[in-house]
Amino acid sequence: MSRVVSKNLFDFKPAGKLDDDVAAIYNAMEEGTFSSGAKEIAERMKELLGREDEDANKEYIVLFRKTVEFVVDMVDNNPAYAGVAERVVTSSITVPTTHDGEFDVPVEVYTPKNLEGKKMRVGYVYAHGGGAVSLTAAYERNPLSKYAADNDLVVFNVDYRIAPETRCPNNIKDFYEVIKHVHENAESLGIDPAKICIGGESGGGYICLGAMVLLAQNNNSNMVKLAIPQIPMTDDYCFSDPLVMTLEERKEHLMMRKIWKHYIAADWEEQKHDPHLFPGKSSDELLEKFPPTIMVEAEFDFYITEATRFAGRLRRAGRLLELVIIPGSPHGVAFIPGVKGCKLHWDVMDTIAREYIHGDF
């Protein structure tokens, strides 16, 4: 593959500290004051992080999911999303798979009303967040509907199976099979097969990166015009020395160790060097086969080191178009409407849609 050429559209200056508006929200979240019962759950989760027995792991995942749902409810009820559903036609498809039993992957589809019935539209296949162990596609229905309507995209929001019920590599294979399905059925779906893009945030960023590994391994990265992993779980940096980590990485490294080792991995010892589990461990030769990529990060994300390191490898392999780091922002700022970093994130995503998804490069 020839090297991609960046338009160099983004060059934000680091803020050096969290923006004041989002810092106040995150302080409330850390103190457990943003929702009833959150403080007690947070304290119990800290206790469970020091244990690796089966009972502790079972209890921890239940509490983790409950905590994430607290945050989702806070975001989803934000008035910023009022009226979004009326701007798109929401439908669904299922994609049959056999890699882990017979399972039809559910996919929500958001079509801007002005594109309904038209052909050769741009498709965006997306993996939701939640650490690959929580939430469903419905979690990002509102922001993705808005993104579809604002940017004339048909969004395929994939409800891939999550861990620990479904473990690596079958979670990334769910997403991969949907990408293949959209490409192979582009005509009937009204999609231009040359304009299929993929993305995902956080755990969904990992799912997106894992699918990129599969695309490269199967020599079919040409099915994807552009990949946009956002704040992605990328490698096993959380298992390194906490003294070298950023404050945010240090705070969350025990959580991430548990998620990777006890929930996502099917066999830790067998898979800990496998790029299906840790896409950041892809070989240089494999990276050269990746689809063109834009990595979107946040200055105070707890995946910032692993993600930017991987972006550097992709740049050297000739596959990175842009590395965008939203200044003054933490993990997940895109889903806190009303704060400065959220607006900047979606301004960036709108620019990516205009200049790269719809544009030539």
Side-chain angles (χ1 to χ4, degrees), residues 235-246:
D235 63 31
D236 59 354
Y237 181 69
C238 60
F239 290 90
S240 62
D241 188 341
L243 291 176
V244 304
M245 297 179 181
T246 67

Side-chain angles (χ1 to χ4, degrees), residues 183-343:
H183 186 267
E184 292 168 359
N185 297 276
E187 183 176 359
S188 63
L189 293 169
I191 300 298
D192 184 343
K195 292 184 178 180
I196 296 171
C197 303
I198 64 174
E201 57 91 20
S202 190
Y206 153 65
I207 297 295
C208 177
L209 286 176
M212 292 160 68
V213 171
L214 291 172
L215 287 165
Q217 289 175 329
N218 291 298
N219 294 309
N220 54 19
S221 288
N222 61 322
M223 292 195 303
V224 171
K225 177 182 180 181
L226 175 67
I228 317 169
Q230 303 160 49
I231 53 172
M233 297 161 50
T234 305
D235 63 31
D236 59 354
Y237 181 69
C238 60
F239 290 90
S240 62
D241 188 341
L243 291 176
V244 304
M245 297 179 181
T246 67
L247 175 62
E248 292 74 24
E249 292 166 343
R250 195 159 55 248
K251 283 182 177 180
E252 306 298 347
H253 79 284
L254 292 178
M255 174 190 74
M256 289 312 305
R257 288 180 183 183
K258 185 178 284 289
I259 286 174
W260 283 121
K261 187 174 182 179
H262 296 291
Y263 304 136
I264 299 178
D267 185 324
W268 175 252
E269 290 301 322
E270 183 73 23
Q271 293 180 304
K272 62 184 180 181
H273 301 301
D274 188 339
H276 294 145
L277 182 62
F278 294 123
K281 296 191 177 187
S282 299
S283 68
D284 293 339
E285 293 75 19
L286 193 63
L287 292 183
E288 292 176 358
K289 298 180 179 181
F290 269 42
T293 303
I294 294 176
M295 184 81 78
V296 181
E297 257 296 343
E299 185 177 359
F300 297 101
D301 181 28
F302 42 81
Y303 305 130
I304 185 69
T305 299
E306 59 199 79
T308 53
R309 178 171 60 186
F310 189 59
R313 294 187 64 212
L314 282 170
R315 181 183 290 114
R316 183 161 188 170
R319 309 313 295 157
L320 186 76
L321 286 163
E322 304 269 3
L323 168 62
V324 188
I325 301 178
I326 307 299
S329 296
H331 188 84
V333 73
F335 302 101
I336 311 177
V339 302
K340 177 181 175 183
C342 179
K343 182 181 185 305

